[in-house]
Amino acid sequence: MRSTLIFATNNQHKVDEIRSVIGDEFNIITLKEAGIDIDIPEPHDSLEKNASEKSSVIHKLTNQNCFSEDTGLEVEALNGEPGVKSARYAGEGKNFQDNIDKLLKNLVGKTNYNARFRTVISLILNNKEYLFEGICDGKIIPDQKGNNGFGYDPVFIPNRSNKTFAEMKMEEKTIFSHRRKATDKLIQFLKNHGTH
Ligand code: ITT
């Protein structure tokens, strides 16, 4: 029987992207599907700590194997911002457009547009926690392009591409993405631990 893992997120885009990488190998249950309605806190100053917080809250609640992920956009000229604050950069509303507007405003006059997405997955398997990281290097563009994806996708071009993530279909974003790289490590780990 396929192993079941709860994915501790309220972000459906993340669920779609991770499911497309994991395929049918594991049974991924969303919070909604598990009947859990909770706004998981992200109070910490690092992606690692916030990812741990999210998985441990759900583990305490369900006592089941689960994982979470925290992702940040780290912009060189802004000393790594918005980073851990990516979701709420322009305020508690977590509004994607407001966040992009604030980012572009803060980059006016800068010459270095280098940036990276970093994803940290926290897995709790049989009561022990494991972390996996995925990084996608690229750059920010000053004019938004594309309507696919979510968050900062319309202003981020990964290295070795000339399209923003928002101009790509999910399958193409997956070739480059931070989230896929972290998920690959998660899958490999689960297989090595005899979890199928
Ligand atoms: P959960 O905590 O419920 O998982 P969230 O949306 O709050 O969902 P994060 O705390 O990880 O997720 O916030 C990261 C923010 O960074 C997210 O709201 C987006 O604005 C942005 N982001 C994350 N992954 C992204 C991606 O692949 N492409 C573009 N923007 C992304």
Side-chain angles (χ1 to χ4, degrees):
M1 209 181 75
R2 288 184 308 161
S3 293
T4 295
L5 292 167
I6 298 179
F7 183 11
T9 182
N10 285 311
N11 183 325
Q12 188 59 40
H13 300 280
K14 290 184 178 181
V15 175
D16 295 343
E17 289 187 10
I18 284 193
R19 271 199 175 134
S20 84
V21 177
I22 290 186
D24 291 334
E25 262 174 291
F26 301 97
N27 186 27
I28 304 300
I29 305 276
T30 64
L31 289 181
K32 216 171 160 192
E33 287 162 355
I36 300 168
D37 182 7
I38 180 174
D39 190 19
I40 312 172
E42 298 176 275
H44 302 294
D45 60 2
S46 75
L47 298 177
E48 285 78 4
K49 287 187 211 156
N50 281 334
S52 294
E53 177 88 23
K54 292 190 256 192
S55 60
S56 69
V57 165
I58 296 307
H59 184 252
K60 279 189 195 118
L61 213 61
T62 63
N63 214 20
Q64 288 190 49
N65 292 332
C66 62
F67 69 98
S68 73
E69 66 106 291
D70 207 43
T71 295
L73 175 67
E74 300 175 342
V75 180
E76 261 181 31
L78 303 177
N79 301 315
E81 280 205 357
V84 72
K85 292 181 262 175
S86 293
R88 295 171 177 80
Y89 195 38
E92 282 303 312
K94 287 184 159 187
N95 183 281
F96 294 152
Q97 190 59 54
D98 290 350
N99 287 339
I100 289 177
D101 291 346
K102 178 168 179 185
L103 176 72
L104 295 182
K105 198 165 147 238
N106 287 345
L107 278 171
V108 169
K110 310 271 189 206
T111 47
N112 176 3
Y113 272 60
N114 292 339
R116 66 179 194 176
F117 275 112
R118 193 161 74 87
T119 291
V120 175
I121 291 178
S122 161
L123 166 72
I124 300 184
L125 184 71
N126 303 328
N127 302 311
K128 268 186 82 178
E129 187 192 12
Y130 307 88
L131 297 178
F132 309 94
E133 182 188 60
I135 290 174
C136 175
D137 288 301
K139 64 170 188 291
I140 303 298
I141 51 160
D143 296 306
Q144 305 185 205
K145 282 191 193 153
N147 298 305
N148 299 331
F150 69 105
Y152 300 90
D153 280 346
V155 291
F156 183 84
I157 297 185
N159 288 350
R160 289 175 297 283
S161 172
N162 51 16
K163 285 194 241 173
T164 67
F165 271 159
E167 293 178 290
M168 299 179 187
K169 295 223 170 74
M170 189 168 65
E171 294 69 30
E172 196 179 355
K173 176 178 175 183
T174 297
I175 296 170
F176 301 95
S177 114
H178 43 293
R179 183 162 293 107
R180 195 223 74 231
K181 290 174 186 165
T183 307
D184 282 348
K185 292 180 187 171
L186 169 72
I187 296 170
Q188 201 50 53
F189 176 88
L190 290 169
K191 286 183 178 168
N192 291 345
H193 276 68
T195 311
H196 294 289

